[in-house]
Short mmCIF file of all heavy atoms in Angstrom, two decimals:
data_model
loop_
_atom_site.label_atom_id
_atom_site.label_comp_id
_atom_site.label_asym_id
_atom_site.label_seq_id
_atom_site.Cartn_x
_atom_site.Cartn_y
_atom_site.Cartn_z
N GLN A 107 -18.25 -102.59 -124.84
CA GLN A 107 -17.26 -103.58 -124.45
C GLN A 107 -16.93 -104.54 -125.58
O GLN A 107 -15.78 -104.94 -125.76
CB GLN A 107 -17.74 -104.36 -123.21
CG GLN A 107 -17.94 -103.49 -121.97
CD GLN A 107 -16.66 -102.76 -121.51
OE1 GLN A 107 -15.62 -102.81 -122.16
NE2 GLN A 107 -16.75 -102.08 -120.39
N PRO A 154 -19.14 -93.00 -117.42
CA PRO A 154 -17.76 -93.53 -117.39
C PRO A 154 -17.29 -93.91 -118.79
O PRO A 154 -18.05 -94.48 -119.58
CB PRO A 154 -17.89 -94.78 -116.50
CG PRO A 154 -19.11 -94.55 -115.68
CD PRO A 154 -20.04 -93.78 -116.55
N ILE A 155 -16.06 -93.59 -119.09
CA ILE A 155 -15.47 -93.93 -120.39
C ILE A 155 -14.56 -95.14 -120.23
O ILE A 155 -13.61 -95.13 -119.45
CB ILE A 155 -14.67 -92.76 -120.97
CG1 ILE A 155 -15.62 -91.63 -121.39
CG2 ILE A 155 -13.83 -93.21 -122.17
CD1 ILE A 155 -14.92 -90.39 -121.92
N TYR A 156 -14.89 -96.19 -120.98
CA TYR A 156 -14.02 -97.35 -121.10
C TYR A 156 -13.68 -97.50 -122.57
O TYR A 156 -14.57 -97.59 -123.42
CB TYR A 156 -14.73 -98.62 -120.59
CG TYR A 156 -15.12 -98.55 -119.14
CD1 TYR A 156 -16.41 -98.22 -118.75
CD2 TYR A 156 -14.18 -98.82 -118.14
CE1 TYR A 156 -16.76 -98.14 -117.42
CE2 TYR A 156 -14.52 -98.74 -116.80
CZ TYR A 156 -15.82 -98.40 -116.44
OH TYR A 156 -16.16 -98.33 -115.11
N THR A 160 -8.81 -100.71 -121.73
CA THR A 160 -9.34 -101.60 -120.70
C THR A 160 -9.35 -103.03 -121.25
O THR A 160 -9.98 -103.30 -122.26
CB THR A 160 -10.78 -101.21 -120.31
OG1 THR A 160 -10.78 -99.88 -119.81
CG2 THR A 160 -11.34 -102.15 -119.27
N GLU A 165 -9.86 -107.40 -116.44
CA GLU A 165 -10.36 -106.38 -115.52
C GLU A 165 -11.89 -106.40 -115.41
O GLU A 165 -12.52 -105.41 -115.09
CB GLU A 165 -9.91 -104.99 -115.99
CG GLU A 165 -8.41 -104.85 -116.12
CD GLU A 165 -8.01 -103.54 -116.78
OE1 GLU A 165 -8.43 -102.49 -116.29
OE2 GLU A 165 -7.29 -103.58 -117.80
N TYR A 166 -12.48 -107.58 -115.68
CA TYR A 166 -13.94 -107.67 -115.73
C TYR A 166 -14.60 -107.17 -114.45
O TYR A 166 -15.66 -106.56 -114.47
CB TYR A 166 -14.35 -109.12 -116.00
CG TYR A 166 -15.82 -109.32 -116.21
CD1 TYR A 166 -16.41 -109.00 -117.43
CD2 TYR A 166 -16.63 -109.82 -115.20
CE1 TYR A 166 -17.76 -109.18 -117.65
CE2 TYR A 166 -17.99 -110.01 -115.41
CZ TYR A 166 -18.55 -109.69 -116.64
OH TYR A 166 -19.88 -109.87 -116.84
N ASN A 167 -13.98 -107.43 -113.32
CA ASN A 167 -14.57 -107.05 -112.02
C ASN A 167 -14.07 -105.70 -111.52
O ASN A 167 -14.35 -105.32 -110.38
CB ASN A 167 -14.28 -108.13 -110.98
CG ASN A 167 -14.94 -109.45 -111.33
OD1 ASN A 167 -16.10 -109.47 -111.72
ND2 ASN A 167 -14.18 -110.54 -111.21
N ASP A 168 -13.35 -104.97 -112.35
CA ASP A 168 -12.78 -103.70 -111.91
C ASP A 168 -13.21 -102.53 -112.78
O ASP A 168 -12.50 -101.54 -112.90
CB ASP A 168 -11.24 -103.80 -111.93
CG ASP A 168 -10.74 -104.86 -110.96
OD1 ASP A 168 -11.22 -104.90 -109.82
OD2 ASP A 168 -9.87 -105.66 -111.37
N LEU A 169 -14.38 -102.63 -113.38
CA LEU A 169 -14.88 -101.54 -114.21
C LEU A 169 -15.63 -100.56 -113.32
O LEU A 169 -16.86 -100.50 -113.31
CB LEU A 169 -15.79 -102.10 -115.31
CG LEU A 169 -15.14 -103.15 -116.22
CD1 LEU A 169 -16.14 -103.64 -117.27
CD2 LEU A 169 -13.89 -102.61 -116.90
N LEU A 170 -14.87 -99.81 -112.54
CA LEU A 170 -15.45 -98.99 -111.47
C LEU A 170 -15.03 -97.53 -111.61
O LEU A 170 -14.75 -96.86 -110.61
CB LEU A 170 -15.02 -99.54 -110.11
CG LEU A 170 -15.40 -101.00 -109.82
CD1 LEU A 170 -14.81 -101.46 -108.50
CD2 LEU A 170 -16.91 -101.17 -109.81
N LYS A 171 -15.01 -97.02 -112.79
CA LYS A 171 -14.61 -95.63 -113.00
C LYS A 171 -15.72 -94.67 -112.58
O LYS A 171 -16.91 -95.02 -112.59
CB LYS A 171 -14.27 -95.39 -114.46
CG LYS A 171 -12.98 -96.05 -114.93
CD LYS A 171 -12.67 -95.62 -116.37
CE LYS A 171 -11.35 -96.20 -116.84
NZ LYS A 171 -11.04 -95.76 -118.23
N SER A 172 -15.31 -93.45 -112.26
CA SER A 172 -16.28 -92.37 -112.03
C SER A 172 -16.78 -91.87 -113.38
O SER A 172 -16.24 -92.20 -114.44
CB SER A 172 -15.62 -91.22 -111.27
OG SER A 172 -15.15 -91.65 -110.01
N ARG A 173 -17.81 -91.04 -113.33
CA ARG A 173 -18.34 -90.47 -114.55
C ARG A 173 -17.35 -89.48 -115.16
O ARG A 173 -16.76 -88.66 -114.46
CB ARG A 173 -19.66 -89.75 -114.28
CG ARG A 173 -20.77 -90.64 -113.81
CD ARG A 173 -22.01 -89.85 -113.40
NE ARG A 173 -22.69 -89.26 -114.54
CZ ARG A 173 -23.81 -88.56 -114.45
NH1 ARG A 173 -24.37 -88.35 -113.26
NH2 ARG A 173 -24.39 -88.08 -115.54
N GLU A 558 -26.49 -100.19 -111.21
CA GLU A 558 -25.11 -99.84 -111.53
C GLU A 558 -24.42 -99.17 -110.35
O GLU A 558 -23.22 -99.35 -110.13
CB GLU A 558 -25.08 -98.91 -112.75
CG GLU A 558 -25.72 -99.49 -114.00
CD GLU A 558 -25.08 -100.79 -114.42
OE1 GLU A 558 -23.83 -100.89 -114.37
OE2 GLU A 558 -25.82 -101.73 -114.80
N ILE A 559 -25.18 -98.41 -109.58
CA ILE A 559 -24.61 -97.76 -108.39
C ILE A 559 -24.24 -98.80 -107.34
O ILE A 559 -23.20 -98.66 -106.67
CB ILE A 559 -25.63 -96.74 -107.82
CG1 ILE A 559 -25.79 -95.57 -108.79
CG2 ILE A 559 -25.17 -96.23 -106.45
CD1 ILE A 559 -26.88 -94.60 -108.40
N ARG A 560 -25.03 -99.85 -107.21
CA ARG A 560 -24.68 -100.91 -106.25
C ARG A 560 -23.37 -101.56 -106.63
O ARG A 560 -22.57 -101.92 -105.76
CB ARG A 560 -25.80 -101.95 -106.19
CG ARG A 560 -27.04 -101.49 -105.42
CD ARG A 560 -27.92 -102.65 -105.04
NE ARG A 560 -28.45 -103.35 -106.20
CZ ARG A 560 -29.59 -103.04 -106.79
NH1 ARG A 560 -30.33 -102.03 -106.32
NH2 ARG A 560 -30.02 -103.73 -107.83
N VAL A 561 -23.13 -101.75 -107.92
CA VAL A 561 -21.88 -102.37 -108.38
C VAL A 561 -20.73 -101.38 -108.28
O VAL A 561 -19.61 -101.75 -107.91
CB VAL A 561 -22.04 -102.86 -109.84
CG1 VAL A 561 -20.72 -103.34 -110.39
CG2 VAL A 561 -23.09 -103.96 -109.91
N ASN A 562 -20.99 -100.11 -108.60
CA ASN A 562 -19.96 -99.08 -108.62
C ASN A 562 -20.45 -97.87 -107.83
O ASN A 562 -21.06 -96.95 -108.38
CB ASN A 562 -19.65 -98.67 -110.07
CG ASN A 562 -18.57 -97.60 -110.16
OD1 ASN A 562 -17.99 -97.20 -109.15
ND2 ASN A 562 -18.31 -97.13 -111.37
N PRO A 563 -20.20 -97.84 -106.51
CA PRO A 563 -20.71 -96.75 -105.66
C PRO A 563 -20.27 -95.36 -106.08
O PRO A 563 -20.93 -94.37 -105.74
CB PRO A 563 -20.15 -97.11 -104.27
CG PRO A 563 -19.92 -98.59 -104.32
CD PRO A 563 -19.50 -98.87 -105.73
N LYS A 564 -19.18 -95.25 -106.85
CA LYS A 564 -18.75 -93.93 -107.31
C LYS A 564 -19.84 -93.25 -108.14
O LYS A 564 -19.93 -92.02 -108.14
CB LYS A 564 -17.47 -94.06 -108.15
CG LYS A 564 -16.24 -94.50 -107.37
CD LYS A 564 -15.05 -94.63 -108.32
CE LYS A 564 -13.82 -95.14 -107.57
NZ LYS A 564 -12.68 -95.34 -108.49
N LEU A 565 -20.64 -94.03 -108.83
CA LEU A 565 -21.69 -93.44 -109.65
C LEU A 565 -22.77 -92.79 -108.80
O LEU A 565 -23.40 -91.82 -109.21
CB LEU A 565 -22.31 -94.52 -110.56
CG LEU A 565 -21.36 -95.17 -111.57
CD1 LEU A 565 -22.08 -96.27 -112.33
CD2 LEU A 565 -20.81 -94.13 -112.54
N GLU A 568 -22.54 -89.08 -107.87
CA GLU A 568 -22.77 -88.09 -108.92
C GLU A 568 -24.10 -88.35 -109.64
O GLU A 568 -24.20 -88.22 -110.84
CB GLU A 568 -21.62 -88.15 -109.94
CG GLU A 568 -20.25 -87.96 -109.33
CD GLU A 568 -19.13 -88.32 -110.31
OE1 GLU A 568 -19.03 -89.51 -110.68
OE2 GLU A 568 -18.39 -87.42 -110.71
#
Side-chain angles (χ1 to χ4, degrees):
Q107 297 301 5
I155 290 177
Y156 298 98
T160 300
E165 303 172 55
Y166 186 78
N167 296 315
D168 298 314
L169 303 180
L170 302 175
K171 290 186 177 181
S172 299
R173 296 173 70 178
E558 301 303 318
I559 292 173
R560 285 197 297 270
V561 173
N562 181 4
K564 293 178 183 177
L565 298 177
E568 304 168 295

